[in-house]
Amino acid sequence: MKIYEKEGFAYSALYSEMREKIVRGAFKRGDKLPPKRVVAEEKGVSVITVEHAYGLLCEEGYAEGRERKGYYVTYSEEDWFSTGGEKIIIGGHTGGGKDLSAFSLPLATYKKTARVVLNKYGGALLTRSAKRGTKELLCAVKRYLNRKYGINVSENQIIVGAGSEYLYGVLALTLKDRGVFAVESPSYHKIEKTYSAHGVACDPLSLGEDGVKSEELKRTTAKVLHVTPYGSFPTGITASPGKKREYLAWVQSDGRTLIEDDFESEFALGVKNAETIFSLDKSGKTVYLNSFTKTLSPAIRAAYMVLPQALLKEYEDKAGFFACTVPKFEQYLIAELLDSGDFEKHVNRVRNKLRREKITRV
Amino acid sequence: MKIYEKEGFAYSALYSEMREKIVRGAFKRGDKLPPKRVVAEEKGVSVITVEHAYGLLCEEGYAEGRERKGYYVTYSEEDWFSTGGEKIIIGGHTGGGKDLSAFSLPLATYKKTARVVLNKYGGALLTRSAKRGTKELLCAVKRYLNRKYGINVSENQIIVGAGSEYLYGVLALTLKDRGVFAVESPSYHKIEKTYSAHGVACDPLSLGEDGVKSEELKRTTAKVLHVTPYGSFPTGITASPGKKREYLAWVQSDGRTLIEDDFESEFALGVKNAETIFSLDKSGKTVYLNSFTKTLSPAIRAAYMVLPQALLKEYEDKAGFFACTVPKFEQYLIAELLDSGDFEKHVNRVRNKLRREKITRV
């Protein structure tokens, strides 16, 4: 099983394998998972690696560790419900007013990278960007999505724009012919406001313990569902694996699209981030949306979305003619931060801070 | 008449006075204007100053110089038609493909200013911008509009956004309840495309020699009229003073709004720019829109609009909640370029180039 070690993500690959087994029912709720030493030997990895993988299964709500007894499966497809995870409220979707400077990129890193960009790109700093974003940024985001979330897409599925709100608008223009959009209630107020401003009627679906209530999902006639599965603002609710699968089941019906607004999962306190619905959705009906405005600084207006292949034509027809709204400078800056590792270093620094101080960001 | 000299804009003040006299009918078409020496003596300014003012009246289509005879009025309100001006096509609204690098800000100036910004602003580079734009940029634009176009507004009437197209969208969201928008035909295709994408029906009005045909203005039931009075793309048509007054008359009726899309008048080849409809409109029903994307570089996504006071509440209600889409860095950069004089130096350099080479930019 050398592939695990070679990729440097042994625990991650093992986690995925175990998760799949649990979801497919190879292990059922209440089952004990194989002892760490046994798995380590079988897979040819270290016990530490297995420990990491098991820890991640626990954080994601698939299993739980019992003192001196081992790890037990807690996930069950039948009741669409998991043990749920942490409910830390980190609400990046706060708007102005709060001092979030402790979570911004350090000024020194920003300046250093800005100078690298000014020296490196020359005349390209003043030429027009491709509409969806510069090749440099799209490829850097693609690599980042792959290593961080296991999302494997082509760079032509990625579109960058001047902040999440701007991309909500682009999605409204692209999908408004479908009719009503369902949104979480409560949720970040600008989601519904932006859709409404674009003439889209919104159906607010009430939230239960781990996301939109099942009966609400059944009730709505909306064709588009916008969810914030990680640390939803203002409730702090994070969708359980079961709830994510419920969203996935919802989106399977004809003409439905799910918008996964992952506005701040970078600051998840687990070993690794929550798995994305986008990567779980093999049917290609989910849009993944994330923002650098939250993770880098509110002064840097840049967000991105990943469209499933099936939506590319619709996007191109309805909103593909818009020029890119992010200046070249910021595009190169973010690409540099992603490729140099400074972005992940910064995110880890903030996560450690949150962990140490048990900060509740609202 | 010391005020002329004191203000350092003697010719400009004299021009305005003479223009008002012509428009109000104190001088009629065919009338000879007072000889330069006479005016110079009467006003206590130099002959050169009068020459500049008369030259400007000619460029703006109010008068013409006849060899050894003096200056004669060519403007007549009755036929809504002037002698028209130059028809140089400089079409900044070209989209990608063309090499416009000769018209971009010099890279050295960009880099120098970028370094000034990085050194000067510190932590403010990473904090959230006010929604309409940073105070620094709004005030710099306000001062620029005043000295360049004689537009005198409060900075709270100015809104910056990520390019003209983005602001077209904001205007669509703000004004779409009015119904149909009238646009020039032909015109830059993204104007109609953006409005249509936002669900606004467009009524294309055909162009005559100096702008939208009078019968088309009478015919349309649109409440919003979007014009590009300077160097309209792709025709290169520049509205005559008479046509501008026709637009002004059109907008007087209840519930009407004029959008003056002044996408590139900075590159006008006259001594001074064409007067804006915004500044002529004492009724406050015109929106003025301009873009730095055209004058600085297509890589810098920044445009601005000036709303009349009467529209501020409607804007605030419909689209005022959107976060500013221009990063802090570009906002400070443009403010620096405007305040240092580098912006106007660059514009003059391009104008000289256009004049020398008689370039037709399409």
mmCIF file of all heavy atoms in Angstrom, chain A residues 328-347:
data_model
loop_
_atom_site.group_PDB
_atom_site.id
_atom_site.type_symbol
_atom_site.label_atom_id
_atom_site.label_comp_id
_atom_site.label_asym_id
_atom_site.label_seq_id
_atom_site.Cartn_x
_atom_site.Cartn_y
_atom_site.Cartn_z
ATOM 1 N N LYS A 328 -5.970 42.169 -11.991
ATOM 2 C CA LYS A 328 -4.856 41.258 -12.200
ATOM 3 C C LYS A 328 -3.969 41.170 -10.955
ATOM 4 O O LYS A 328 -3.531 40.091 -10.564
ATOM 5 C CB LYS A 328 -3.994 41.746 -13.378
ATOM 6 C CG LYS A 328 -4.465 41.339 -14.760
ATOM 7 C CD LYS A 328 -4.351 39.885 -14.992
ATOM 8 C CE LYS A 328 -4.024 39.368 -16.360
ATOM 9 N NZ LYS A 328 -3.124 40.021 -17.229
ATOM 10 N N PHE A 329 -3.705 42.309 -10.339
ATOM 11 C CA PHE A 329 -2.794 42.339 -9.179
ATOM 12 C C PHE A 329 -3.234 41.353 -8.104
ATOM 13 O O PHE A 329 -2.454 40.524 -7.641
ATOM 14 C CB PHE A 329 -2.721 43.763 -8.624
ATOM 15 C CG PHE A 329 -1.874 43.894 -7.392
ATOM 16 C CD1 PHE A 329 -0.492 43.952 -7.480
ATOM 17 C CD2 PHE A 329 -2.463 43.945 -6.136
ATOM 18 C CE1 PHE A 329 0.291 44.070 -6.339
ATOM 19 C CE2 PHE A 329 -1.689 44.062 -4.986
ATOM 20 C CZ PHE A 329 -0.316 44.119 -5.089
ATOM 21 N N GLU A 330 -4.514 41.428 -7.696
ATOM 22 C CA GLU A 330 -5.014 40.516 -6.658
ATOM 23 C C GLU A 330 -5.006 39.068 -7.143
ATOM 24 O O GLU A 330 -4.779 38.147 -6.366
ATOM 25 C CB GLU A 330 -6.428 40.894 -6.214
ATOM 26 C CG GLU A 330 -6.495 41.958 -5.136
ATOM 27 C CD GLU A 330 -6.142 43.335 -5.655
ATOM 28 O OE1 GLU A 330 -6.113 43.511 -6.888
ATOM 29 O OE2 GLU A 330 -5.875 44.233 -4.838
ATOM 30 N N GLN A 331 -5.267 38.867 -8.408
ATOM 31 C CA GLN A 331 -5.268 37.498 -8.925
ATOM 32 C C GLN A 331 -3.874 36.881 -8.800
ATOM 33 O O GLN A 331 -3.721 35.743 -8.348
ATOM 34 C CB GLN A 331 -5.715 37.481 -10.386
ATOM 35 C CG GLN A 331 -7.176 37.861 -10.576
ATOM 36 C CD GLN A 331 -7.692 37.427 -11.943
ATOM 37 O OE1 GLN A 331 -7.513 36.286 -12.358
ATOM 38 N NE2 GLN A 331 -8.332 38.335 -12.653
ATOM 39 N N TYR A 332 -2.860 37.649 -9.183
ATOM 40 C CA TYR A 332 -1.494 37.136 -9.065
ATOM 41 C C TYR A 332 -1.099 36.981 -7.598
ATOM 42 O O TYR A 332 -0.405 36.041 -7.219
ATOM 43 C CB TYR A 332 -0.519 38.083 -9.758
ATOM 44 C CG TYR A 332 -0.626 38.090 -11.274
ATOM 45 C CD1 TYR A 332 -0.530 39.276 -11.997
ATOM 46 C CD2 TYR A 332 -0.808 36.913 -11.994
ATOM 47 C CE1 TYR A 332 -0.621 39.290 -13.388
ATOM 48 C CE2 TYR A 332 -0.904 36.914 -13.376
ATOM 49 C CZ TYR A 332 -0.802 38.105 -14.065
ATOM 50 O OH TYR A 332 -0.883 38.108 -15.437
ATOM 51 N N LEU A 333 -1.533 37.941 -6.790
ATOM 52 C CA LEU A 333 -1.210 37.909 -5.361
ATOM 53 C C LEU A 333 -1.740 36.625 -4.715
ATOM 54 O O LEU A 333 -1.017 35.933 -3.997
ATOM 55 C CB LEU A 333 -1.834 39.132 -4.681
ATOM 56 C CG LEU A 333 -1.545 39.291 -3.193
ATOM 57 C CD1 LEU A 333 -0.321 40.189 -2.995
ATOM 58 C CD2 LEU A 333 -2.719 39.912 -2.454
ATOM 59 N N ILE A 334 -2.978 36.302 -4.991
ATOM 60 C CA ILE A 334 -3.574 35.107 -4.383
ATOM 61 C C ILE A 334 -2.901 33.847 -4.931
ATOM 62 O O ILE A 334 -2.621 32.901 -4.182
ATOM 63 C CB ILE A 334 -5.098 35.075 -4.619
ATOM 64 C CG1 ILE A 334 -5.755 36.275 -3.919
ATOM 65 C CG2 ILE A 334 -5.702 33.776 -4.098
ATOM 66 C CD1 ILE A 334 -7.208 36.505 -4.302
ATOM 67 N N ALA A 335 -2.603 33.841 -6.226
ATOM 68 C CA ALA A 335 -1.919 32.682 -6.807
ATOM 69 C C ALA A 335 -0.579 32.466 -6.110
ATOM 70 O O ALA A 335 -0.210 31.338 -5.766
ATOM 71 C CB ALA A 335 -1.722 32.886 -8.309
ATOM 72 N N GLU A 336 0.139 33.561 -5.872
ATOM 73 C CA GLU A 336 1.433 33.459 -5.170
ATOM 74 C C GLU A 336 1.249 32.920 -3.762
ATOM 75 O O GLU A 336 2.017 32.073 -3.308
ATOM 76 C CB GLU A 336 2.103 34.845 -5.089
ATOM 77 C CG GLU A 336 2.719 35.336 -6.373
ATOM 78 C CD GLU A 336 3.933 34.519 -6.799
ATOM 79 O OE1 GLU A 336 4.751 34.134 -5.931
ATOM 80 O OE2 GLU A 336 4.049 34.253 -8.006
ATOM 81 N N LEU A 337 0.257 33.430 -3.053
ATOM 82 C CA LEU A 337 0.017 32.988 -1.676
ATOM 83 C C LEU A 337 -0.338 31.504 -1.633
ATOM 84 O O LEU A 337 0.111 30.776 -0.749
ATOM 85 C CB LEU A 337 -1.113 33.811 -1.039
ATOM 86 C CG LEU A 337 -0.771 35.266 -0.691
ATOM 87 C CD1 LEU A 337 -2.030 36.039 -0.323
ATOM 88 C CD2 LEU A 337 0.230 35.328 0.468
ATOM 89 N N LEU A 338 -1.122 31.059 -2.608
ATOM 90 C CA LEU A 338 -1.508 29.642 -2.646
ATOM 91 C C LEU A 338 -0.310 28.768 -2.991
ATOM 92 O O LEU A 338 -0.075 27.746 -2.353
ATOM 93 C CB LEU A 338 -2.619 29.422 -3.685
ATOM 94 C CG LEU A 338 -4.018 29.941 -3.336
ATOM 95 C CD1 LEU A 338 -4.942 29.818 -4.539
ATOM 96 C CD2 LEU A 338 -4.601 29.174 -2.152
ATOM 97 N N ASP A 339 0.450 29.190 -3.991
ATOM 98 C CA ASP A 339 1.548 28.346 -4.467
ATOM 99 C C ASP A 339 2.749 28.355 -3.532
ATOM 100 O O ASP A 339 3.512 27.389 -3.481
ATOM 101 C CB ASP A 339 1.969 28.778 -5.887
ATOM 102 C CG ASP A 339 0.939 28.355 -6.938
ATOM 103 O OD1 ASP A 339 0.115 27.474 -6.630
ATOM 104 O OD2 ASP A 339 0.955 28.899 -8.059
ATOM 105 N N SER A 340 2.925 29.451 -2.784
ATOM 106 C CA SER A 340 4.089 29.522 -1.886
ATOM 107 C C SER A 340 3.837 28.784 -0.574
ATOM 108 O O SER A 340 4.763 28.559 0.200
ATOM 109 C CB SER A 340 4.391 30.986 -1.558
ATOM 110 O OG SER A 340 3.345 31.532 -0.766
ATOM 111 N N GLY A 341 2.577 28.442 -0.325
ATOM 112 C CA GLY A 341 2.258 27.806 0.959
ATOM 113 C C GLY A 341 1.900 28.829 2.026
ATOM 114 O O GLY A 341 1.472 28.471 3.122
ATOM 115 N N ASP A 342 2.078 30.108 1.723
ATOM 116 C CA ASP A 342 1.781 31.146 2.723
ATOM 117 C C ASP A 342 0.288 31.187 3.080
ATOM 118 O O ASP A 342 -0.074 31.536 4.194
ATOM 119 C CB ASP A 342 2.215 32.527 2.218
ATOM 120 C CG ASP A 342 3.705 32.763 2.437
ATOM 121 O OD1 ASP A 342 4.278 32.080 3.319
ATOM 122 O OD2 ASP A 342 4.291 33.605 1.736
ATOM 123 N N PHE A 343 -0.555 30.833 2.118
ATOM 124 C CA PHE A 343 -1.990 30.836 2.402
ATOM 125 C C PHE A 343 -2.313 29.793 3.471
ATOM 126 O O PHE A 343 -2.946 30.095 4.482
ATOM 127 C CB PHE A 343 -2.790 30.553 1.124
ATOM 128 C CG PHE A 343 -4.273 30.480 1.353
ATOM 129 C CD1 PHE A 343 -5.014 31.636 1.536
ATOM 130 C CD2 PHE A 343 -4.937 29.252 1.404
ATOM 131 C CE1 PHE A 343 -6.385 31.580 1.767
ATOM 132 C CE2 PHE A 343 -6.312 29.195 1.630
ATOM 133 C CZ PHE A 343 -7.025 30.354 1.813
ATOM 134 N N GLU A 344 -1.836 28.573 3.263
ATOM 135 C CA GLU A 344 -2.130 27.505 4.231
ATOM 136 C C GLU A 344 -1.445 27.770 5.579
ATOM 137 O O GLU A 344 -1.997 27.459 6.634
ATOM 138 C CB GLU A 344 -1.760 26.140 3.652
ATOM 139 C CG GLU A 344 -2.898 25.582 2.779
ATOM 140 C CD GLU A 344 -2.462 25.080 1.414
ATOM 141 O OE1 GLU A 344 -1.884 25.906 0.645
ATOM 142 O OE2 GLU A 344 -2.682 23.896 1.118
ATOM 143 N N LYS A 345 -0.267 28.362 5.534
ATOM 144 C CA LYS A 345 0.427 28.708 6.780
ATOM 145 C C LYS A 345 -0.436 29.688 7.579
ATOM 146 O O LYS A 345 -0.619 29.541 8.788
ATOM 147 C CB LYS A 345 1.790 29.344 6.447
ATOM 148 C CG LYS A 345 2.780 29.298 7.587
ATOM 149 C CD LYS A 345 4.008 30.158 7.280
ATOM 150 C CE LYS A 345 4.996 29.462 6.342
ATOM 151 N NZ LYS A 345 6.151 30.352 6.033
ATOM 152 N N HIS A 346 -0.980 30.667 6.875
ATOM 153 C CA HIS A 346 -1.833 31.665 7.526
ATOM 154 C C HIS A 346 -3.099 31.011 8.098
ATOM 155 O O HIS A 346 -3.483 31.263 9.248
ATOM 156 C CB HIS A 346 -2.203 32.755 6.518
ATOM 157 C CG HIS A 346 -3.416 33.552 6.886
ATOM 158 N ND1 HIS A 346 -3.469 34.318 8.031
ATOM 159 C CD2 HIS A 346 -4.631 33.665 6.286
ATOM 160 C CE1 HIS A 346 -4.671 34.879 8.101
ATOM 161 N NE2 HIS A 346 -5.384 34.506 7.072
ATOM 162 N N VAL A 347 -3.724 30.160 7.309
ATOM 163 C CA VAL A 347 -4.952 29.494 7.766
ATOM 164 C C VAL A 347 -4.650 28.656 9.018
ATOM 165 O O VAL A 347 -5.396 28.682 9.995
ATOM 166 C CB VAL A 347 -5.547 28.616 6.639
ATOM 167 C CG1 VAL A 347 -6.573 27.643 7.186
ATOM 168 C CG2 VAL A 347 -6.170 29.511 5.564
#
